[in-house]
Amino acid sequence: MGKRVILIVLDSCGIGGAKDAAAFGDEGSHTLAACSKDSAFSIANMKRIGMGCIEGALPYEERDSGGVGAWARLQEASMGKDTTIGHWEIAGIISPEPLPTYPDGFPEEVISEFEKQTGRKTLCNKPYSGTEVIRDFGQEHVKTGDLIVYTSADSVFQIAAHEDVVPVEELYRYCEIARKILTGKHGVGRVIARPFTGEYPNYTRTSNRHDFSLEPPRPTLLDKLTESRIPVYGVGKIYDIFAGKGVGTTVRTSGNIDGIEQTLGAMDSQKEGLIFVNLVDFDMLYGHRNDVHGYAQALTYFDDRLPEILSRMTKDDILMITADHGCDPSTPSTDHSRENVPFLAYGDRVRPGTDLGTRSSFADIAKTIGDYFGINTERMKLMTNYTDEEKKILSKVDHTLLRTTSTLSEIKALCEAALAAGTASVCIPPCYVNDAAQFLKGRLPVCTVIGFPNGYSTAATKVFEAKEAIRQGATEIDMVINLCDVKNGNFDRVYLELLAMREACEGVILKVIIETCQLTDEEKIKMCELVSKAKADFIKTSTGFSTGGATVEDVALLRKYSAPEVKVKAAGGIKDFSDAKAMIEAGADRLGTSRLVK
């Protein structure tokens, strides 16, 4: 018998207290506390492990002073409150940007393409309750065959269809079509098949729901385990949430009861690895339907079955219980709520009575599991550990790798790190633009360099380079001016080159590198004039490949003599956040560096 971790997600079982809840419209939400007030609520086994010891998890009268396991309160570092982002963070990915939502319905470009590819018209296209949407549009759907498309406050594209009108497999095919359409800026977290049966007005959703998730933007704990030949067994919708990536054996479930049975079965059959479980009923049947009593009963049922799980544990097993977000059934809202979540750990390998306090990310779970299995999770960038000030600075950084011997694996690692840190873009060699664009899938701008680093190729060559880079996916262009022309005083030629590049870069950001270390102050001021006149987006200090990089004095000079609409990029020699802060205070709006991302 090898090492095992049984990780159970009580879907939506938040414990309130998120410090940014107000920003999400969820101030005061507390899923577990709401359920604890119901007469059906009883979680003695979870409290015995440590649920009652977690700060803020339960009302005071339900609190305990000690437990036999370890416990913590986890804060969400990602900018979201949905199932996908919550599970991604549990598995090690911190998402600095929320997935797109559509409070006014999906745009015409999405709907028309979906209708074209499926050959069916659509109904609704609004945020809607899943039970109400089939009641309000079910009759018309049955009559016409048009698909019911709707969304919610979450990042979802949902398709409801009667199983007698659209067979389940056909509905799944329509979802696969939608999933291919919904990428890039419209990359919703999940496309969900919502089949139903019955007669009006008693339509009923079936258990044939199926989620088609967006692929995680970079490797997760599950990928790392699989690469290390450590089995990953998914129970419930784990396979769907991670789009299958990193999940080996999987079993879908019809609800919590089935999910618990399948977990027990997995513990009997899987002798090592990660058993990753999602129990969906808490969220789907009770949280979204404002059913406090049902939610309390479901928690009690899970707690009653918990001893069966504990009885199957071996000396090298660790049980972990957590959640992915909140969904307070006592509030007027039927949507997810921004809450902290509980973390419980139990087993012979867990030091009993351990208070792990408040942790700054769900990703601590992935780090802990990775450490237990002895795999290298360093490149997953589980924890950013940046202060609020550092995060603001990173949002202005073009995370850069322009070394002539850079490899594709290094470029992908750069992209992963930039996503985790929330940088403005990645800046990479032109030969890797297509690779980076395919890897990032629109989640981060791709910047590349033209005429780099010497700038003395012809204007026509630079224009061709720029157009080719844009065709392959570049959304920002950093172009080096012809210093020969500047030194010869041929400023008309410099200006014509700038105009040609501005035209070639229509619709993308153009940054002009003037290599300040090679210019006199008079020449720098002249370049400010020409770059402003040509309406470039940025004037940039340096390539970082010459005799010097950015200085505070040069940044201040460029800011002073450039038009207000032209921004300044400082690059070269920015070693730490102190340097970066000084450049920003001097007038820089963007920074080119490879040294700030941890």
Side-chain angles (χ1 to χ4, degrees), residues 246-277:
V247 182
T249 307
T250 187
V251 57
R252 292 193 172 92
T253 61
S254 58
N256 283 6
I257 295 174
D258 189 27
I260 293 168
E261 295 294 342
Q262 295 294 348
T263 300
L264 294 169
M267 293 180 72
D268 289 339
S269 64
Q270 304 297 310
K271 303 307 181 185
E272 63 176 337
L274 173 65
I275 300 173
F276 196 171
V277 182

Short mmCIF file of all heavy atoms in Angstrom, two decimals, residues 246-277:
data_model
loop_
_atom_site.label_atom_id
_atom_site.label_comp_id
_atom_site.label_asym_id
_atom_site.label_seq_id
_atom_site.Cartn_x
_atom_site.Cartn_y
_atom_site.Cartn_z
N GLY A 246 -4.52 15.78 -16.60
CA GLY A 246 -3.92 15.29 -15.37
C GLY A 246 -4.76 14.28 -14.62
O GLY A 246 -4.32 13.76 -13.59
N VAL A 247 -5.97 13.98 -15.11
CA VAL A 247 -6.85 13.02 -14.44
C VAL A 247 -6.73 11.68 -15.15
O VAL A 247 -6.93 11.59 -16.36
CB VAL A 247 -8.31 13.50 -14.44
CG1 VAL A 247 -9.19 12.51 -13.68
CG2 VAL A 247 -8.41 14.89 -13.83
N GLY A 248 -6.43 10.63 -14.39
CA GLY A 248 -6.32 9.29 -14.98
C GLY A 248 -7.66 8.61 -15.00
O GLY A 248 -8.51 8.88 -15.86
N THR A 249 -7.93 7.77 -14.04
CA THR A 249 -9.22 7.10 -13.92
C THR A 249 -10.26 8.10 -13.41
O THR A 249 -9.96 8.95 -12.58
CB THR A 249 -9.14 5.92 -12.94
OG1 THR A 249 -8.06 5.08 -13.33
CG2 THR A 249 -10.43 5.14 -12.91
N THR A 250 -11.46 8.02 -13.93
CA THR A 250 -12.51 8.95 -13.49
C THR A 250 -13.84 8.23 -13.42
O THR A 250 -14.09 7.26 -14.17
CB THR A 250 -12.62 10.16 -14.43
OG1 THR A 250 -13.52 11.12 -13.89
CG2 THR A 250 -13.11 9.75 -15.81
N VAL A 251 -14.70 8.67 -12.52
CA VAL A 251 -16.05 8.14 -12.43
C VAL A 251 -16.99 9.31 -12.16
O VAL A 251 -16.75 10.12 -11.27
CB VAL A 251 -16.17 7.06 -11.33
CG1 VAL A 251 -15.75 7.58 -9.97
CG2 VAL A 251 -17.59 6.51 -11.27
N ARG A 252 -18.03 9.43 -12.96
CA ARG A 252 -19.02 10.48 -12.75
C ARG A 252 -20.04 9.99 -11.74
O ARG A 252 -20.23 8.79 -11.55
CB ARG A 252 -19.68 10.86 -14.07
CG ARG A 252 -18.72 11.56 -15.02
CD ARG A 252 -19.44 12.21 -16.18
NE ARG A 252 -18.52 13.03 -16.96
CZ ARG A 252 -17.84 12.59 -18.02
NH1 ARG A 252 -17.99 11.34 -18.42
NH2 ARG A 252 -17.02 13.38 -18.67
N THR A 253 -20.71 10.92 -11.11
CA THR A 253 -21.67 10.56 -10.06
C THR A 253 -23.00 11.24 -10.29
O THR A 253 -23.08 12.27 -10.97
CB THR A 253 -21.13 10.97 -8.67
OG1 THR A 253 -20.93 12.39 -8.63
CG2 THR A 253 -19.81 10.26 -8.39
N SER A 254 -24.05 10.70 -9.70
CA SER A 254 -25.39 11.25 -9.84
C SER A 254 -25.75 12.18 -8.69
O SER A 254 -26.83 12.75 -8.67
CB SER A 254 -26.42 10.12 -9.91
OG SER A 254 -26.34 9.31 -8.74
N GLY A 255 -24.85 12.36 -7.73
CA GLY A 255 -25.11 13.24 -6.60
C GLY A 255 -24.23 12.86 -5.43
O GLY A 255 -23.33 12.03 -5.54
N ASN A 256 -24.50 13.46 -4.28
CA ASN A 256 -23.66 13.24 -3.11
C ASN A 256 -23.65 11.79 -2.63
O ASN A 256 -22.60 11.25 -2.27
CB ASN A 256 -24.11 14.13 -1.95
CG ASN A 256 -23.65 15.57 -2.11
OD1 ASN A 256 -23.09 15.94 -3.14
ND2 ASN A 256 -23.90 16.38 -1.10
N ILE A 257 -24.81 11.15 -2.60
CA ILE A 257 -24.88 9.77 -2.11
C ILE A 257 -24.01 8.88 -2.98
O ILE A 257 -23.17 8.11 -2.48
CB ILE A 257 -26.34 9.28 -2.07
CG1 ILE A 257 -27.16 10.09 -1.06
CG2 ILE A 257 -26.39 7.79 -1.74
CD1 ILE A 257 -28.64 9.76 -1.06
N ASP A 258 -24.19 9.01 -4.29
CA ASP A 258 -23.37 8.23 -5.21
C ASP A 258 -21.90 8.61 -5.09
O ASP A 258 -21.00 7.76 -5.15
CB ASP A 258 -23.87 8.46 -6.64
CG ASP A 258 -23.21 7.53 -7.65
OD1 ASP A 258 -22.80 6.42 -7.26
OD2 ASP A 258 -23.10 7.92 -8.82
N GLY A 259 -21.64 9.91 -4.90
CA GLY A 259 -20.26 10.37 -4.76
C GLY A 259 -19.55 9.75 -3.58
O GLY A 259 -18.37 9.37 -3.64
N ILE A 260 -20.26 9.64 -2.45
CA ILE A 260 -19.67 9.01 -1.26
C ILE A 260 -19.43 7.52 -1.52
O ILE A 260 -18.37 6.97 -1.16
CB ILE A 260 -20.58 9.24 -0.04
CG1 ILE A 260 -20.61 10.73 0.31
CG2 ILE A 260 -20.09 8.41 1.15
CD1 ILE A 260 -21.68 11.11 1.31
N GLU A 261 -20.38 6.86 -2.16
CA GLU A 261 -20.21 5.44 -2.48
C GLU A 261 -19.01 5.24 -3.42
O GLU A 261 -18.22 4.31 -3.23
CB GLU A 261 -21.48 4.88 -3.13
CG GLU A 261 -22.70 4.85 -2.24
CD GLU A 261 -22.56 3.88 -1.07
OE1 GLU A 261 -21.68 2.98 -1.13
OE2 GLU A 261 -23.32 4.02 -0.09
N GLN A 262 -18.89 6.09 -4.41
CA GLN A 262 -17.78 5.96 -5.34
C GLN A 262 -16.44 6.25 -4.66
O GLN A 262 -15.41 5.67 -5.01
CB GLN A 262 -17.97 6.90 -6.54
CG GLN A 262 -19.18 6.59 -7.40
CD GLN A 262 -19.06 5.26 -8.14
OE1 GLN A 262 -18.00 4.65 -8.19
NE2 GLN A 262 -20.17 4.81 -8.72
N THR A 263 -16.44 7.16 -3.69
CA THR A 263 -15.21 7.44 -2.94
C THR A 263 -14.80 6.22 -2.14
O THR A 263 -13.61 5.84 -2.12
CB THR A 263 -15.44 8.64 -2.00
OG1 THR A 263 -15.79 9.79 -2.77
CG2 THR A 263 -14.18 8.93 -1.19
N LEU A 264 -15.75 5.58 -1.48
CA LEU A 264 -15.46 4.37 -0.72
C LEU A 264 -14.95 3.27 -1.65
O LEU A 264 -13.99 2.55 -1.32
CB LEU A 264 -16.70 3.89 0.03
CG LEU A 264 -17.20 4.83 1.14
CD1 LEU A 264 -18.58 4.39 1.63
CD2 LEU A 264 -16.21 4.88 2.29
N GLY A 265 -15.56 3.18 -2.84
CA GLY A 265 -15.10 2.19 -3.81
C GLY A 265 -13.68 2.47 -4.28
O GLY A 265 -12.87 1.54 -4.45
N ALA A 266 -13.38 3.75 -4.49
CA ALA A 266 -12.03 4.11 -4.92
C ALA A 266 -11.01 3.79 -3.84
O ALA A 266 -9.88 3.35 -4.13
CB ALA A 266 -11.98 5.60 -5.26
N MET A 267 -11.39 3.99 -2.58
CA MET A 267 -10.46 3.67 -1.49
C MET A 267 -10.21 2.18 -1.40
O MET A 267 -9.13 1.74 -0.95
CB MET A 267 -11.02 4.21 -0.17
CG MET A 267 -11.06 5.73 -0.10
SD MET A 267 -11.71 6.36 1.47
CE MET A 267 -10.34 5.98 2.58
N ASP A 268 -11.17 1.37 -1.83
CA ASP A 268 -10.97 -0.07 -1.85
C ASP A 268 -10.08 -0.51 -3.01
O ASP A 268 -9.30 -1.46 -2.88
CB ASP A 268 -12.32 -0.79 -1.96
CG ASP A 268 -13.13 -0.70 -0.67
OD1 ASP A 268 -12.52 -0.45 0.39
OD2 ASP A 268 -14.35 -0.84 -0.74
N SER A 269 -10.19 0.20 -4.16
CA SER A 269 -9.50 -0.27 -5.37
C SER A 269 -8.20 0.45 -5.68
O SER A 269 -7.30 -0.11 -6.31
CB SER A 269 -10.45 -0.13 -6.57
OG SER A 269 -10.77 1.24 -6.80
N GLN A 270 -8.08 1.72 -5.27
CA GLN A 270 -6.90 2.51 -5.59
C GLN A 270 -5.94 2.50 -4.41
O GLN A 270 -6.25 3.08 -3.37
CB GLN A 270 -7.30 3.95 -5.94
CG GLN A 270 -8.32 4.07 -7.06
CD GLN A 270 -7.79 3.53 -8.37
OE1 GLN A 270 -6.69 3.89 -8.81
NE2 GLN A 270 -8.57 2.68 -9.02
N LYS A 271 -4.82 1.87 -4.56
CA LYS A 271 -3.92 1.65 -3.44
C LYS A 271 -2.89 2.76 -3.25
O LYS A 271 -2.15 2.76 -2.26
CB LYS A 271 -3.19 0.30 -3.62
CG LYS A 271 -4.15 -0.88 -3.76
CD LYS A 271 -5.15 -0.93 -2.60
CE LYS A 271 -6.09 -2.12 -2.72
NZ LYS A 271 -7.15 -2.13 -1.68
N GLU A 272 -2.82 3.71 -4.16
CA GLU A 272 -1.91 4.84 -4.00
C GLU A 272 -2.40 6.01 -4.84
O GLU A 272 -3.27 5.86 -5.70
CB GLU A 272 -0.48 4.47 -4.43
CG GLU A 272 -0.35 4.10 -5.90
CD GLU A 272 1.09 3.83 -6.30
OE1 GLU A 272 1.99 4.32 -5.61
OE2 GLU A 272 1.31 3.13 -7.31
N GLY A 273 -1.83 7.18 -4.58
CA GLY A 273 -2.15 8.35 -5.38
C GLY A 273 -3.19 9.27 -4.76
O GLY A 273 -3.49 9.20 -3.57
N LEU A 274 -3.73 10.16 -5.61
CA LEU A 274 -4.72 11.15 -5.18
C LEU A 274 -6.11 10.72 -5.60
O LEU A 274 -6.35 10.44 -6.79
CB LEU A 274 -4.40 12.51 -5.82
CG LEU A 274 -5.43 13.62 -5.62
CD1 LEU A 274 -5.55 14.01 -4.14
CD2 LEU A 274 -5.07 14.85 -6.46
N ILE A 275 -7.02 10.64 -4.64
CA ILE A 275 -8.45 10.45 -4.93
C ILE A 275 -9.11 11.80 -4.71
O ILE A 275 -9.22 12.29 -3.58
CB ILE A 275 -9.06 9.38 -4.01
CG1 ILE A 275 -8.35 8.04 -4.21
CG2 ILE A 275 -10.56 9.24 -4.29
CD1 ILE A 275 -8.77 6.96 -3.21
N PHE A 276 -9.50 12.45 -5.80
CA PHE A 276 -9.98 13.83 -5.79
C PHE A 276 -11.50 13.79 -6.01
O PHE A 276 -11.97 13.34 -7.06
CB PHE A 276 -9.27 14.60 -6.90
CG PHE A 276 -9.35 16.10 -6.81
CD1 PHE A 276 -8.57 16.88 -7.69
CD2 PHE A 276 -10.16 16.75 -5.90
CE1 PHE A 276 -8.61 18.26 -7.63
CE2 PHE A 276 -10.21 18.14 -5.84
CZ PHE A 276 -9.43 18.88 -6.71
N VAL A 277 -12.26 14.28 -5.03
CA VAL A 277 -13.70 14.10 -5.01
C VAL A 277 -14.41 15.45 -5.00
O VAL A 277 -14.05 16.34 -4.23
CB VAL A 277 -14.13 13.31 -3.76
CG1 VAL A 277 -15.65 13.06 -3.76
CG2 VAL A 277 -13.36 11.99 -3.65
#
